[in-house]
Amino acid sequence: MKAAIIVESSASTALELRDAPTPEPGPQQLLLRVKASSLNRGELLPSGKPGARPGGVEAVGEIAACGKDVKGFAEGARIMARCKGGFAEYALVDASEAIAIPEPLSWEQAAAVPIVFLVSYDMLVPYGRVRPGDWVLVTAVSSGVGVASLQLAKALGAKVIGTSGSSEKLEKLRALGLDAGIATRGALAAEVLRLTDRHGADVAINNVGGSIFPDLVRAAAYRGRIAIVGYVDGSLEAPLDLAAVHSNRLEIYGVSNRLRSAAERAETVAGFKRDCLSWFADGTLLPLVDKVFAFDAIADAKAYFDRNAHVGKVVLTM
């Protein structure tokens, strides 16, 4: 089968197509005939470990085979899931990660769901405890996780402020319900407090990294929650105003797909199915696909992705 490999040098990554053997499912796994996948910044950033590794952390497609102990799934079913090696004609999926694709979604739309919406669900529901009327601040709101967080927060009844270096991107996202946009990182906290009539952000999502963290602490509401999910600025350290955390009773938590146990991942998938899947079926949530590339043009897809011109997800089709 054809598969794409991430080749990492000392300072960059590239995607290369290679031949690979078709995998065999284990007892609790599904073999997926991949129809589409999508690019995610986290796996394409240099990890500090030069070499080659399978590409793709999510995929959608039809079940080609089921492991001997799998229950509740059948060959031919349409599913979407987080996985390893999703940039390939076939991929293995743990049955506990598999999610039936709601009927209205195309392959391309479904490919824009697993990673970003599961991360957003984790941040906003079990940890963020977002309620109707809350203010949610989403930094880098035009990113994949940013757009999904905007959409999910609106479905939960929240008011959303988004940040971006591009006024044009913010304007595009008003169609998805963005209540206010901040087109600069300067004076971020002051602008959030102004927009919320001094209330602050009940939940703040840090998609950027350490450079923006002090502003999020200053922008947080009393009993506010701050989620840390990305480091696109490359900054892994930031000063911490302990007095603000203490006096405002703030909660700070990290959200990561990579470091979670299988049981934790399965718990998130089960909660997402219970709380959110019907919103894709009735049109409340519609994944935002920016551009679609054929699998053979995966190098072009990465070049486009690296230019950071997209709003939402960049998708590959097989």
Side-chain angles (χ1 to χ4, degrees):
M1 69 172 187
K2 289 191 298 184
I5 303 298
I6 298 173
V7 180
E8 180 173 341
S9 63
S10 58
S12 64
T13 62
L15 289 169
E16 296 181 3
L17 289 178
R18 297 184 182 178
D19 290 325
T22 301
E24 295 288 336
Q28 294 285 354
Q29 290 183 313
L30 305 169
L31 178 64
L32 188 65
R33 184 180 298 108
V34 177
K35 296 293 186 179
S37 185
S38 67
L39 277 63
N40 290 280
R41 193 170 301 280
E43 72 163 336
L44 296 175
L45 291 172
S47 66
K49 300 176 181 178
R53 60 184 183 271
V57 290
E58 63 189 335
V60 303
E62 297 170 339
I63 297 175
C66 298
K68 65 182 182 66
D69 295 334
V70 170
K71 294 179 174 60
F73 292 99
E75 291 183 19
R78 295 187 346 135
I79 65 165
M80 52 188 178
R82 297 177 294 193
C83 64
K84 294 180 180 178
F87 294 162
E89 292 179 302
Y90 289 88
L92 292 178
V93 170
D94 290 340
S96 61
E97 292 272 4
I99 302 170
I101 298 175
E103 195 57 43
L105 296 187
S106 66
W107 292 122
E108 293 84 357
Q109 290 169 328
V113 173
I115 289 291
V116 295
F117 275 96
L118 285 167
V119 166
S120 298
Y121 172 79
D122 218 12
M123 288 191 292
L124 295 175
V125 180
Y127 287 97
R129 306 185 300 281
V130 171
R131 298 172 298 179
D134 278 354
W135 281 101
V136 175
L137 171 63
V138 183
T139 62
V141 70
S142 65
S143 66
V145 170
V147 172
S149 296
L150 160 63
Q151 292 180 288
L152 186 53
K154 294 302 295 183
L156 292 166
K159 295 169 286 188
V160 180
I161 301 169
T163 76
S164 172
S166 166
S167 297
E168 182 181 353
K169 289 182 178 182
L170 291 172
E171 191 59 35
K172 287 181 179 179
L173 291 173
R174 291 190 184 278
L176 296 182
L178 184 67
D179 293 282
I182 302 174
T184 177
R185 295 176 191 168
L188 172 60
E191 185 64 6
V192 170
L193 292 173
R194 184 189 71 80
L195 289 167
T196 61
D197 196 23
R198 308 299 301 176
H199 176 80
D202 296 289
V203 176
I205 295 174
N206 187 352
N207 284 311
V208 176
S211 64
I212 206 170
F213 180 75
D215 266 329
L216 300 186
V217 172
R218 290 191 289 269
Y222 178 69
R223 290 185 177 271
R225 285 83 70 197
I226 300 173
I228 302 170
V229 67
Y231 310 101
V232 294
D233 63 1
S235 178
L236 302 181
E237 296 182 354
L240 177 61
D241 185 343
L242 290 177
V245 174
H246 174 219
S247 60
N248 285 327
R249 301 176 70 104
L250 303 183
E251 297 178 33
I252 301 169
Y253 56 94
V255 178
S256 170
N257 269 302
R258 190 177 306 170
L259 302 178
R260 305 189 76 205
S261 69
E264 288 176 318
R265 292 166 69 92
E267 182 180 9
T268 297
V269 170
F272 177 77
K273 290 179 180 178
R274 179 190 66 237
D275 298 334
C276 303
L277 201 56
S278 64
W279 285 335
F280 293 95
D282 67 16
T284 299
L285 292 175
L286 186 65
L288 182 61
V289 176
D290 179 275
K291 195 166 185 177
V292 178
F293 289 83
F295 187 47
D296 288 342
I298 193 168
D300 295 334
K302 184 178 184 299
Y304 175 76
F305 187 82
D306 287 344
R307 290 201 297 273
N308 200 32
H310 58 285
V311 178
K313 296 288 282 181
V314 176
V315 171
L316 299 169
T317 55
M318 299 300 166

